[in-house]
Amino acid sequence: MAGFEQSPLYRIMHPTSVAIWGASSNPMAMGSVVLGQMLALGFEGPVYLMHPREQQIMGLQTYKHLKDVPGPVDLAVLVLPTNVVPETLEECGKTGVTRAIIVTAGFGEMGPEGRELQKQIIEIARKYGIHFIGPNCIGVVNPYAKLNTTAFPYDSPPGFIGMASQSGSFITQVFVHMEKFGIGFSQAFSVGNEAMTDITDCLEYLGQCPHTKVIALYVEAIRRGRDFFRTAREVSKRKPIVAYYIGGSESGKRAALSHTGALAGPDPVYDGIFRQCGIIRAGSVEELFDMCCTLGTQPLPKGNGLAILTHSGGPGVAAADTAERSGLKLPAFSAATNAELMTLVPHTASIGNPVDMTYNRRLDDYVEAIPPVLLQDPNVHSLFIYMLIPLERVIRTIQATGTTVDQAEAMAEGFIISQCESVARLSARYRKPVIGASFCTREELFVRELQDRGVPLLPSAERAIKALAALVKYAGIREALIKEDSDGHPSQADSRP
Amino acid sequence: MAGFEQSPLYRIMHPTSVAIWGASSNPMAMGSVVLGQMLALGFEGPVYLMHPREQQIMGLQTYKHLKDVPGPVDLAVLVLPTNVVPETLEECGKTGVTRAIIVTAGFGEMGPEGRELQKQIIEIARKYGIHFIGPNCIGVVNPYAKLNTTAFPYDSPPGFIGMASQSGSFITQVFVHMEKFGIGFSQAFSVGNEAMTDITDCLEYLGQCPHTKVIALYVEAIRRGRDFFRTAREVSKRKPIVAYYIGGSESGKRAALSHTGALAGPDPVYDGIFRQCGIIRAGSVEELFDMCCTLGTQPLPKGNGLAILTHSGGPGVAAADTAERSGLKLPAFSAATNAELMTLVPHTASIGNPVDMTYNRRLDDYVEAIPPVLLQDPNVHSLFIYMLIPLERVIRTIQATGTTVDQAEAMAEGFIISQCESVARLSARYRKPVIGASFCTREELFVRELQDRGVPLLPSAERAIKALAALVKYAGIREALIKEDSDGHPSQADSRP
């Protein structure tokens, strides 16, 4: 692999300056919306507005030609009518602008005429050494460089999920979905028609990106099968790849057929390919991000033994049921673990696995005393905790001891934060994955505090357990991949934290 | 079936007055929390606090004995230590209190001694003609009667989902989950140890409850198999039943074994039983409520032909993919439909099925003009719409026409509300189910407006399609059930709106 910063995609994702075509005095024009988002995320380099007639857009000066622009242009973003794209790209080439994102549609996806036009822009790009993404894409997001060339507001902090997607919606309209979990993108690509840059290029780039701890793919069809396979197999030895593939159904196949050279095939075939190159398959967009939350934050488990800790019967049983259906095991605890548990649980509790406290005798025990006991057990490779620490209830508990409302509020917040810190420390301390679930949303303090500390806290026990099962599966696949290679290639250490 | 208001459960769910044992000057005692929730929901009848020593609790007068209470007591709620439950129940019987909820644990679930105690309270109840729910349950909720005897705050409006659950958490900790969808319970029962009132009794009651449009069950094991089967089969001819059953896995079976006379069995057997009595099976708590949202609001489809409307490729393809995997079909549209669509979509759009607008030429068309065209097509039995109408974007669009910010805000809100009204009218007008999905939450106006008008708007295309598939399945099962009976019994009309 070439050095990361030498990758053709690096400069597209880290431009020092951007020129944008397509913004205008009409604030609802797609180009104007893109400009608005670029400014909203606070891109720090110069942004040059290109327009053939208008002198000012949103109070900013415009330029007719690239030669008029007062500084160097690192990245061109084209949100233009289809027919003027070739001449604009030509202008880029002539003035030495060699990185571009072509948002404009109406190329390869639009019949013979569009395909001809697409060939034309590829030729122009080759002539001048231009690398571009698109056409017919929704752009890219790199929160670390404060770069958002899409038409949607990115409000999350920079994150650890690198994504390459054959649907623009799935790297933009999911922003609001990701906010529910407090997670963000490290980098995200909408690859569009993949005329010059395809999902395999992005995969290779994301494999090298230091901010990217897990890679998410949305795939309708794969163009360069052999290269994709080789790249994915290499990358997944270092970091996990999760793919949502829809080419296995008739409708998915139809979508894939509209792409040339597509590798779309039936599910069992793809399942085999994914397994061989270490890719974990998700069954929905929600599952894709559930798995990324987990695979991007938790250490690799050494086996499939799961301990379940709950104070509510239903969620505990649902977790156990889902675990068994997902290939996890609920081992019996060691005698030492059972002896320790006996001193910590109320008399109504069950100290089987799940450990069902029935109620919290002392909330501290639930997150501070019991999890270490479970994680020390050699039969336990990972831990699931059902979480519910509503601020209101903690405030009332403290108030009952005779404090003022204000004191109780401050104490309750401090208590919850310290409890969440305890949970967040567990996985690093015991080198075992710890995952949680709660019906509560980020309106609750404990949800924000856990998620923002990197604990995957998912909206249901079932989803959390499925995501954990994906992590267990990845650990196994990765080990097998490294073992297979151990004759010829040195195995590479896990680069994840 | 006995008349609804004569059902032993009716008075428990509609008491004119309540006596509660277990509240005390300790606000964190379970009984105090229950009292707090009862008062918070605003129960309108008298609530009498029973306590052997304290004179006042939360500023309210207390009574030592039932004979001291100044008015009749309709329902007794016992949140007492286990050992004083029998004598308290005896006191109830002697003073003519014949309805009770026994929250207290430590009975049948706690070994031979507990089982003996449970027998004892059943005998007392029989002696005095008492009907009780529990023990070891978390109580009941009837928002129509402003009754909440659980320890969790119920903040949603009265709803259309009737639930009976063998887990207390799944009728209480799900309150916050239901708030995400703007849905509420019509009535909900935590059945606990089912000493006198089991899930079949609740099913029969909910089948008759006029506020209940769909019934949700959480089942670990069924006690009276034959009665359950007969009741479910009868009820599901009139309204849908969705069950989350976890007895099919080893851990589920273990949970079920702790109940006497359990019917727990392997999944395929249970799938067969459920199918024969018309019950739809959910695979998770989220799916249970997704399905209830849909089955409780939408008319029964006449077939499995689905039309998909989207302006975003990814969600449209994901919907199509899930539809095929769930047994739905995406029919070709009639020539008339295609001709009408041609006049309504932009040139970049696809008028296949999914109809992918690629972008909204006119937002009005998307929800006002196109859905009727699709729903009139005889090949289309139901419609899925991917929704995204962010208020901020509509405000900016209107501002661009030169209005003030305040004017634009008011106009945008009016516009979105009228769009949502249009969508909400579709299913009744065309007598075909209409379901939506959006990544946005109820923080967005359009999400609240759609959900509060009874449009199932779920958090992803995949979940919406699976819920719709459950509705199609139910329509088929129900038809078959009614047909089977048509010789002996007159078929009963669909009681749903």
Side-chain angles (χ1 to χ4, degrees), chain B residues 83-132:
Chain B
N83 58 333
V84 292
V85 169
E87 65 196 62
T88 308
L89 204 60
E90 186 94 33
E91 189 188 342
C92 285
K94 283 182 178 155
T95 48
V97 178
T98 58
R99 297 290 180 268
I101 295 170
I102 305 175
V103 175
T104 312
F107 290 89
E109 82 285 7
M110 287 298 283
E113 208 177 319
R115 280 198 290 277
E116 193 46 50
L117 215 52
Q118 184 157 318
K119 258 191 215 159
Q120 205 181 324
I121 60 170
I122 294 173
E123 273 163 31
I124 295 168
R126 291 220 175 110
K127 185 164 74 180
Y128 295 103
I130 296 173
H131 272 272
F132 69 80

Side-chain angles (χ1 to χ4, degrees), chain B residues 386-453:
Chain B
Y386 179 70
M387 295 294 296
L388 184 67
I389 328 178
L391 180 61
E392 267 307 303
R393 191 154 286 193
V394 179
I395 291 175
R396 269 187 283 123
T397 311
I398 293 172
Q399 264 186 281
T401 64
T403 64
T404 67
V405 180
D406 286 352
Q407 277 177 321
E409 270 184 27
M411 287 170 72
E413 285 179 16
F415 173 80
I416 288 175
I417 291 170
S418 103
Q419 298 288 292
C420 294
E421 281 170 347
S422 296
V423 175
R425 274 192 298 264
L426 291 169
S427 62
R429 181 168 300 168
Y430 296 95
R431 304 180 71 85
K432 295 179 178 180
V434 175
I435 188 167
S438 178
F439 290 115
C440 295
T441 64
R442 284 176 66 86
E443 285 173 37
E444 274 291 351
L445 179 65
F446 79 92
V447 174
R448 297 194 298 278
E449 291 295 326
L450 286 172
Q451 290 180 338
D452 293 350
R453 283 180 169 75

Side-chain angles (χ1 to χ4, degrees), chain A residues 157-207:
Chain A
F160 55 80
I161 300 172
M163 182 156 183
S165 172
Q166 287 175 346
S167 150
S169 316
F170 287 155
I171 70 146
T172 52
Q173 295 179 31
V174 294
F175 290 163
V176 284
H177 178 72
M178 296 169 80
E179 283 170 22
K180 298 170 198 166
F181 304 89
I183 53 175
F185 282 126
S186 54
Q187 325 257 299
F189 298 91
S190 156
V191 293
N193 288 1
E194 301 183 301
M196 275 199 102
T197 306
D198 66 11
I199 213 154
T200 303
D201 296 314
C202 297
L203 184 57
E204 182 163 359
Y205 170 86
L206 292 169

